[in-house]
Each structure stands twice: as structure tokens, then as C-alpha cells.
Amino acid sequence: MFKKQLLFIGALAIGAFSYGQNSSKAKTLLDEVYTKAMSYDNIYIDFKSTLENTEANIKQETNGNVTISGDKYMLDYLGAQQLNDGKKVYTIVPENEEITIEQVSEDDNNVTPSKMLTFYRSGHNYQWDILQNVGGRKIQYVKLTPIDSNTEIKSILLGIDTQTKHIYKLIQTGKNSTKTSITVNSFKTNQSLSSTLFTFNEKKYEDKGYYIIRN
């Protein structure tokens, strides 16, 4: 009995040590991704987004793009634009001729394309996952599990190009079985940007008759 208990404890210790190594490897890779991303003045990402829920028989695919510079971004997605000037977020919907203006929220747990480069820095446990070959590129996946049990997110898989240290794919699984995937089609850095790209021109939209909602 004692030997069996000793073997069991030993197996637990080995398992814990192995998990610790995997967690450490995952964190090191994510730190390299973050350092690489922060070395750029700006980043342009063209992406494909897929939302899928097999139980509800839902599958939607959409293309979009985002330009990121520091805390600011311009996102084109689902026929709308979202501008973050570092202080406020402006969601512009041409179809409805409507604009919503909100303060930037630090409490939002949802992972948007603009957060792909930084969201994993806190609030998650890390685990080394599978390695895939995608068109000759080695994509290493890291599994992230939210520490906060109250979040609607069950897990996130982050696929990283091992050569460039750029994020290639993000797969977010919700507790309601909805899976959202963001796949990077192109990743460009240090582009020449307009000085007004992240500036919201309220008068321009007022002249067009847009309805503005302030939250």
C-alpha cells in the first residue's frame, strides 16, 4: 500500500513538474511575441473571422482589417468602422448612419482583433499545445485558460509562427460552445499612416446627417 501511495505521489510530482515546464515554455514564447510586436511603430493586419456554433447550426465567415499603433486602432469589420483614439471608442455604422461614442473600457474581457497582440499578458494560465505545419510555416499553439471563472470564455488557442514570432491564428471557445476564430491573412509593419487616421472628425458626420449616441 505504501509503495502504491509513493508511486502515486511520484506520478503527481512528475506531472506537476512537466506542467510547470510547459507553462514556462508557453510564457516565454508569448513574451517573445509581445516584445516583437512592441518593437513596431504600427501594425496592419488583414484577417478572416469565423464564428461557429454546431449546436445552433451557425457558421459565419467575415473578412476585416485593423491598423494598430500603441493604444490606438482603426478597425474595419462587418460593414462598420471602429476607431479607438486612446481615450474614446467610436463605432461608425454607415448602413444606419449612426455613430456610438464610448469611453475606452479596461474591463472588457472579449478578445478583438486589436487586442491580439497584448491581451494574453495577464489574467490567464498558459499551456504548451500542438505544433502544426501550415504551408511550410511552423505554427506553435499555446492554450490560455482565464483565471477568472466568471468569464464567458472557456479557453483560447493562440497560434504563433515560430520563425517570425507573429500571431497567425486565435481560436476562442465560449462556455456556450460558440467558437470564434481569427486567422491572419497578412501582417504588415511600420506602414506610412495618415496623421489623422486615429482622429474622429465629428463635424464631417454631422454634415452627413449621422445620428450620434454618447454613452
Side-chain angles (χ1 to χ4, degrees):
M1 177 64 72
F2 178 76
K3 286 184 178 179
K4 286 184 178 179
Q5 288 178 330
L6 192 62
L7 285 171
F8 178 71
I9 293 169
L12 282 178
I14 292 170
F17 179 69
S18 175
Y19 179 84
Q21 282 185 316
N22 286 339
S23 177
S24 179
K25 277 201 306 182
K27 187 178 185 307
T28 297
L29 180 58
L30 291 176
D31 285 343
E32 289 176 355
V33 172
Y34 177 79
T35 301
K36 189 73 175 286
M38 292 302 102
S39 70
Y40 301 125
D41 290 333
N42 59 70
I43 296 171
Y44 171 84
I45 299 172
D46 181 87
F47 62 89
K48 180 180 77 173
S49 175
T50 304
L51 185 147
E52 189 172 7
N53 188 316
T54 52
E55 293 178 5
N57 196 28
I58 295 173
K59 186 172 183 180
Q60 300 173 343
E61 292 187 354
T62 311
N63 291 322
N65 63 77
V66 61
T67 300
I68 309 164
S69 181
D71 296 330
K72 302 175 183 180
Y73 67 81
M74 171 62 84
L75 170 67
D76 282 294
Y77 185 55
L78 294 173
Q81 283 188 330
Q82 191 170 79
L83 167 65
N84 183 328
D85 64 6
K87 295 180 180 179
K88 294 181 180 180
V89 178
Y90 308 84
T91 303
I92 305 161
V93 186
E95 184 179 356
N96 301 337
E97 295 189 343
E98 185 177 278
I99 297 171
T100 303
I101 303 176
E102 302 172 285
Q103 295 292 325
V104 172
S105 173
E106 299 296 333
D107 299 325
D108 189 0
N109 289 318
N110 292 322
V111 180
T112 63
S114 62
K115 292 183 180 178
M116 285 181 69
L117 307 174
T118 59
F119 79 93
Y120 51 80
R121 294 284 291 170
S122 61
H124 299 86
N125 292 316
Y126 312 119
Q127 189 174 357
W128 201 251
D129 211 89
I130 64 171
L131 177 69
Q132 285 187 338
N133 189 311
V134 180
R137 300 163 64 191
K138 291 184 178 179
I139 307 298
Q140 176 63 55
Y141 282 87
V142 172
K143 185 175 183 179
L144 291 83
T145 307
I147 294 172
D148 182 5
S149 59
N150 293 321
T151 179
E152 295 179 2
I153 300 170
K154 182 179 179 181
S155 65
I156 297 169
L157 279 171
L158 205 58
I160 298 161
D161 187 316
T162 58
Q163 182 175 0
T164 64
K165 299 299 188 296
H166 292 164
I167 293 174
Y168 165 72
K169 192 165 189 175
L170 180 151
I171 305 170
Q172 175 179 293
T173 303
K175 290 180 179 178
N176 62 352
S177 299
T178 298
K179 184 178 290 185
T180 305
S181 302
I182 297 173
T183 305
V184 174
N185 296 322
S186 67
F187 192 105
K188 299 178 182 178
T189 62
N190 298 336
Q191 301 294 289
S192 178
L193 304 181
S194 165
S195 60
T196 60
L197 179 63
F198 304 113
T199 302
F200 177 70
N201 186 341
E202 185 169 334
K203 188 177 185 307
K204 180 181 78 172
Y205 292 101
E206 285 179 341
D207 291 345
K208 292 181 179 179
Y210 274 61
Y211 180 64
I212 298 178
I213 303 167
R214 303 177 191 275
N215 292 336

